């Protein structure tokens, strides 16, 4: 069985870095995903930044930010995780950790650095094509991870 790098994606709300949902891959290619319960410090009474989720959905179906951090620590302590480089993942991850005054124990890097044979531009083009081929939505973290795993398999088989 292949040993995959760790990929991570975080869906954010309209406010900078408000984490709503998170997904990451495991070395065997499995994907963990969950909605995230908003911390009280993240939202105000008049906030409507939950994207396609209601506060009730996030509170009842999501897990606490601290539980997300603990699970991530179990799976990827002191690891480099790879993102689609959309710019939102780093801010959202920082917000998760900042809520508890913690320093992130993972580093993020753009996934395209894993593939020396293609340019960042080509990687993003292939990513878009893979989303279309699989019929996935780019804003859903679990779909983002599935696309990055699929691309990784395709790009490393050619080597």
């Amino acid at each position: 069985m292949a040993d995959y790098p760790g990929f991570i994606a975080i869906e954010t709300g309209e406010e900078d870095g408000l984490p709503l949902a998170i997904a990451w891959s495991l070395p065997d290619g499995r994907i963990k995903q969950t909605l995230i319960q908003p911390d009280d410090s993240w939202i105000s009474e008049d906030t409507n930044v939950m994207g396609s989720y209601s506060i009730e959905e996030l509170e009842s179906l999501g897990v606490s930010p601290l539980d997300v951090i603990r699970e991530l620590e179990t799976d990827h302590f002191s690891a480099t995780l790879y993102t689609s480089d959309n710019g939102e993942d780093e801010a959202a991850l920082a917000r998760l950790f900042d809520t508890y005054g913690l320093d992130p124990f993972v580093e993020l890097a753009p996934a395209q650095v894993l593939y020396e044979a293609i340019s960042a531009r080509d990687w993003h083009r292939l990513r878009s094509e893979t989303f279309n081929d699989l019929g996935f939505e780019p804003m859903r973290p679990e779909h983002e991870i599935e696309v990055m795993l699929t691309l990784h398999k395709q790009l490393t088989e050619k080597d």
Side-chain angles (χ1 to χ4, degrees), residues 1-154:
M1 184 171 266
D3 200 30
Y4 292 94
F7 295 109
I8 190 168
I10 304 171
E11 181 178 350
T12 58
E14 295 159 18
E15 184 182 317
D16 284 343
L18 180 70
L20 303 175
I22 189 169
W24 64 80
S25 64
L26 299 173
D28 64 3
R30 288 181 296 145
I31 299 171
K32 287 189 175 181
Q33 66 183 40
T34 189
L35 293 176
I36 301 170
Q37 293 172 349
D39 187 80
D40 292 341
S41 68
W42 296 353
I43 54 177
S44 63
E45 289 294 322
D46 59 348
T47 300
N48 185 19
V49 294
M50 300 303 147
S52 59
Y53 306 104
S54 69
I55 293 278
E56 293 78 22
E57 283 179 295
L58 293 173
E59 288 178 347
S60 64
L61 300 174
V63 300
S64 77
L66 190 56
D67 287 341
V68 170
I69 291 169
R70 287 179 180 146
E71 189 75 15
L72 186 59
E73 181 179 36
T74 299
D75 293 338
H76 292 295
F77 185 74
S78 291
T80 297
L81 299 177
Y82 298 93
T83 72
S84 65
D85 200 24
N86 67 9
E88 296 177 356
D89 294 322
E90 194 143 2
L93 192 67
R95 192 154 191 185
L96 274 176
F97 282 86
D98 288 348
T99 300
Y100 301 99
L102 301 171
D103 291 327
F105 48 75
V106 295
E107 288 189 39
L108 301 184
Q112 65 262 22
V113 303
L114 293 167
Y115 316 104
E116 294 177 15
I118 65 168
S119 68
R121 182 182 202 166
D122 286 341
W123 185 87
H124 281 286
R125 180 184 50 76
L126 289 169
R127 176 181 166 268
S128 293
E129 290 172 3
T130 305
F131 267 107
N132 288 335
D133 292 347
L134 297 175
F136 285 166
E137 297 176 37
M139 299 311 291
R140 304 225 6 223
E142 66 275 17
H143 289 180
E144 186 71 59
I145 300 300
E146 189 67 43
V147 164
M148 287 190 283
L149 288 167
T150 300
L151 268 179
H152 182 76
K153 187 174 181 183
Q154 290 171 356

